[in-house]
Amino acid sequence: MEIRQHEWLSASPHEGFEQMRLKSRPKEPSPSLTRVGANFYSSVKQQDYSASVWLRRKDKLEHSQQKCIVIFALVCCFAVLVALIFSAVDIMGEDEDGLSEKNCQNKCRIALVENIPEGLNYSEDAPFHLPLFQGWMNLLNMAKKSVDIVSSHWDLNHTHPAACQGQRLFEKLLQLTSQNIEVKLVSDVTADSKMKELGVIFYNCSCLVLDLQRIFALYSSLKFKSRVPQTWSKRLYGVYDNEKKLQLQLNETKSQAFVSNSPKLFCPKNRSFDIDAIYSVIDDAKQYVYIAVTDYLPISSTSSKRTYWPDLDGKIREALVLRSVKVRLLISFWKETDPLTFNFISSLKAICTEIANCSLKVKFFDLERENACATKEQKNQTFPKLNRNKYMVTDGAAYIGNFDWVGNDFTQNAGTGLVINQADVRDNRSIIKQLKDVFERDWYSPYAKSIQPTKQPNCSSLSKLKSPSKQPAMANATGREPLSV
């Protein structure tokens, strides 16, 4: 508006000056008028110049303000980003309970523990190990500050008479809390406490405890989150993995070990995925791979469809055909065994047809033969007996995990696995030799049957299951296997 006024004011005197000159027609313009006009146009031009300068300054000011706003916004975003990063990734200080890789203990003692249900009869010379209940009590009696427990099944206060050991463990945990010892539990669902199971106990092995504490912390942190975080805290990173194994002494035997986890979403940096851990054990095998699982089904299921899950099934085929590694599969036979299991077993057997040095044998471990056709009332009087072992042992390594070899277990459930490598597996102190002896004990027991893979047996055909012939004493010692398996 101010510029328009100047333009309008500059036009009116100029028009009057031209009209006066036309009337008088002087030969030369008046010096005074010429000077006035010059001064007047000069003034207008200065006003225009001042206006343009003001506009340019105004544009620069607005541009500078915009730059400041943008810079301020970027600074704010950067500050928020830094805050998010440091909230997800902690600055590494002392580890849990003052433990670190430099001061932890790696000269350890290890022991197999087993839960053997009543009524299972093995030969007198069969190997037996510390009962699982006694192993728990030993650990709880050693507790000074805290007890961290991760369990998929937790039902210690069951009223069934057979659950007395669980009730005693429950009472022991209550006693610990009364002594100001912190008890932390991460659990899922409850289940019956009458299964055949196998595990290991480490004593004075704080280096491995350091890593296990981080997995426990990972599980504990999830209960406060509605979704799995995209970035894990640095304190949850793995300490050891397949590339950086823990070097340790187990029962005075030189060993290596690391802990794996599932599913893959629960594997922060430096934490091996369970499937990769199993791959490493099979790939390192040179002579044999013995696998004991409750269920074997290379299928991944959703609510709408089932798809082939080739991860472990394909790795077994590779070991059989390409590397001539002897494979033995010991699978539990029970009411939940999927009929497709027998189809996949048949397929595995077929791959060795007319291939030299391709050796695959499969047995089903049946603990409920007597009760399979019992009435509902009879079944309710006792817990189901089931072999829930989940491990693999080779000529140089062992893997003990939480999952059956079923697709959904590894992709949809949370669990931890342990890998142990040892060079000398002939010594009786070797945990790998001990685990191999357990497998062969079950493999040659009267509970291990060869079942025709064409169909799932029913009650009428259970009596026809083929039992292995009794082996001479030297068979286990030499490692020879019966021809009738």
Side-chain angles (χ1 to χ4, degrees):
M1 185 66 180
E2 187 177 0
I3 296 177
R4 289 179 181 176
Q5 287 176 350
H6 280 299
E7 289 176 346
W8 180 79
L9 288 173
S10 64
S12 296
H14 183 68
E15 182 181 357
F17 169 72
E18 290 293 335
Q19 290 176 351
M20 184 173 55
R21 188 178 60 176
L22 287 173
K23 291 179 181 179
S24 57
R25 297 287 181 182
K27 293 182 181 179
E28 294 180 0
S30 170
S32 60
L33 289 178
T34 303
R35 186 168 54 254
V36 171
N39 291 338
F40 179 79
Y41 279 110
S42 175
S43 174
V44 172
K45 289 180 181 180
Q46 289 176 359
Q47 291 289 347
D48 289 343
Y49 175 76
S50 299
S52 62
V53 169
W54 182 82
L55 284 175
R56 284 196 295 270
R57 289 178 178 174
K58 182 179 179 182
D59 290 341
K60 289 182 178 180
L61 179 61
E62 291 177 350
H63 184 65
S64 299
Q65 290 175 343
Q66 290 175 357
K67 288 176 64 177
C68 290
I69 293 173
V70 171
I71 293 173
F72 178 74
L74 289 175
V75 170
C76 290
C77 291
F78 179 74
V80 172
L81 180 61
V82 170
L84 290 174
I85 291 175
F86 279 91
S87 66
V89 183
D90 298 329
I91 302 300
M92 201 63 171
E94 280 193 341
D95 284 300
E96 298 81 354
D97 296 326
L99 287 177
S100 69
E101 295 179 65
K102 295 181 179 179
N103 65 7
C104 62
Q105 176 63 258
N106 64 352
K107 292 183 179 179
C108 321
R109 185 165 63 90
I110 185 173
L112 281 180
V113 290
E114 284 192 283
N115 191 52
I116 305 294
E118 294 180 3
L120 264 70
N121 298 311
Y122 290 109
S123 62
E124 293 182 359
D125 59 345
F128 287 91
H129 298 279
L130 184 70
L132 180 61
F133 167 74
Q134 191 58 53
W136 270 81
M137 294 300 290
N138 290 349
L139 288 178
L140 295 179
N141 287 330
M142 295 170 62
K144 302 297 182 185
K145 295 174 59 178
S146 65
V147 176
D148 297 347
I149 303 171
V150 177
S151 173
S152 57
H153 305 297
W154 196 252
D155 190 11
L156 297 183
N157 204 25
H158 203 284
T159 57
H160 195 281
C164 59
Q165 291 183 345
Q167 292 171 4
R168 289 176 60 186
L169 284 174
F170 182 69
E171 293 169 358
K172 180 63 178 178
L173 291 172
L174 290 179
Q175 178 186 343
L176 293 179
T177 58
S178 67
Q179 298 172 354
N180 294 325
I181 295 177
E182 185 180 19
V183 177
K184 293 178 286 185
L185 169 67
V186 176
S187 183
D188 187 6
V189 296
T190 61
D192 299 327
S193 44
K194 191 69 173 180
M195 306 290 185
K196 179 179 179 295
E197 297 182 289
L198 178 141
V200 291
I201 290 184
F202 287 85
Y203 297 96
N204 301 320
C205 202
S206 56
C207 288
L208 197 62
V209 169
L210 172 64
D211 215 10
L212 287 171
Q213 281 182 328
R214 296 194 175 190
I215 292 181
F216 183 87
L218 184 147
Y219 291 155
S220 299
S221 68
L222 291 174
K223 65 183 179 182
F224 301 112
K225 302 181 184 295
S226 59
R227 64 185 66 183
V228 178
Q230 294 183 347
T231 304
W232 292 102
S233 166
K234 191 173 182 180
R235 288 190 179 274
L236 302 180
Y237 286 5
V239 183
Y240 309 102
D241 60 6
N242 188 34
E243 301 297 327
K244 180 190 174 185
K245 300 177 182 178
L246 170 62
Q247 309 292 323
L248 73 167
Q249 294 282 331
L250 290 178
N251 300 344
E252 300 180 356
T253 301
K254 189 176 180 180
S255 311
Q256 296 177 322
F258 68 94
V259 179
S260 57
N261 205 21
S262 285
K264 203 160 189 176
L265 282 174
F266 287 7
C267 293
K269 185 178 179 180
N270 301 331
R271 176 70 65 209
S272 294
F273 180 36
D274 264 324
I275 296 296
D276 296 330
I278 293 175
Y279 279 5
S280 70
V281 173
I282 297 179
D283 288 340
D284 289 342
K286 305 217 174 12
Q287 301 175 22
Y288 63 86
V289 174
Y290 294 165
I291 303 165
V293 288
T294 305
D295 292 310
Y296 182 88
L297 187 66
I299 289 289
S300 182
S301 303
T302 63
S303 58
S304 59
K305 64 178 181 178
R306 307 176 86 183
T307 57
Y308 176 52
W309 187 71
D311 294 38
L312 300 181
D313 192 64
K315 180 58 68 172
I316 291 176
R317 295 171 188 267
E318 176 185 305
L320 285 168
V321 177
L322 301 183
R323 300 189 1 251
S324 300
V325 175
K326 180 174 68 174
V327 177
R328 300 291 178 263
L329 267 173
L330 185 60
I331 305 169
S332 294
F333 177 74
W334 62 310
K335 61 181 180 179
E336 299 295 332
T337 300
D338 194 301
L340 271 177
T341 299
F342 303 97
N343 296 63
F344 282 108
I345 294 304
S346 179
S347 174
L348 272 176
K349 286 186 173 181
I351 201 173
C352 282
T353 303
E354 297 184 2
I355 297 180
N357 301 320
C358 185
S359 176
L360 170 72
K361 293 182 181 179
V362 182
K363 287 187 179 182
F364 290 83
F365 200 84
D366 178 23
L367 292 180
E368 285 206 297
R369 179 176 176 181
E370 305 85 3
N371 297 327
C373 300
T375 63
K376 183 177 181 180
E377 291 75 17
Q378 290 172 328
K379 291 180 179 179
N380 289 337
Q381 294 176 2
T382 182
F383 287 124
K385 294 179 180 179
L386 176 65
N387 183 22
R388 292 189 60 203
N389 291 351
K390 298 171 178 60
Y391 67 86
M392 171 176 56
V393 61
T394 73
D395 48 282
Y399 168 86
I400 301 175
N402 289 120
F403 298 138
D404 293 310
W405 288 24
V406 179
N408 286 43
D409 279 24
F410 288 94
T411 58
Q412 299 180 16
N413 298 330
T416 302
L418 170 69
V419 173
I420 300 174
N421 296 84
Q422 290 180 324
D424 185 5
V425 298
R426 296 169 295 179
D427 193 324
N428 288 329
R429 294 174 299 181
S430 166
I431 196 68
I432 293 179
K433 183 182 186 303
Q434 295 178 28
L435 197 57
K436 177 176 180 285
D437 291 343
V438 168
F439 181 90
E440 291 182 336
R441 176 201 68 189
D442 291 344
W443 182 266
Y444 293 115
S445 74
Y447 306 101
K449 321 288 184 180
S450 294
I451 299 179
Q452 294 297 326
T454 54
K455 62 179 180 179
Q456 184 177 13
N458 52 34
C459 291
S460 61
S461 62
L462 281 173
S463 59
K464 301 179 182 179
L465 295 181
K466 186 179 178 182
S467 299
S469 58
K470 187 174 180 61
Q471 302 302 312
M474 288 299 295
N476 283 351
T478 60
R480 291 198 303 266
E481 299 211 313
L483 298 177
S484 58
V485 229

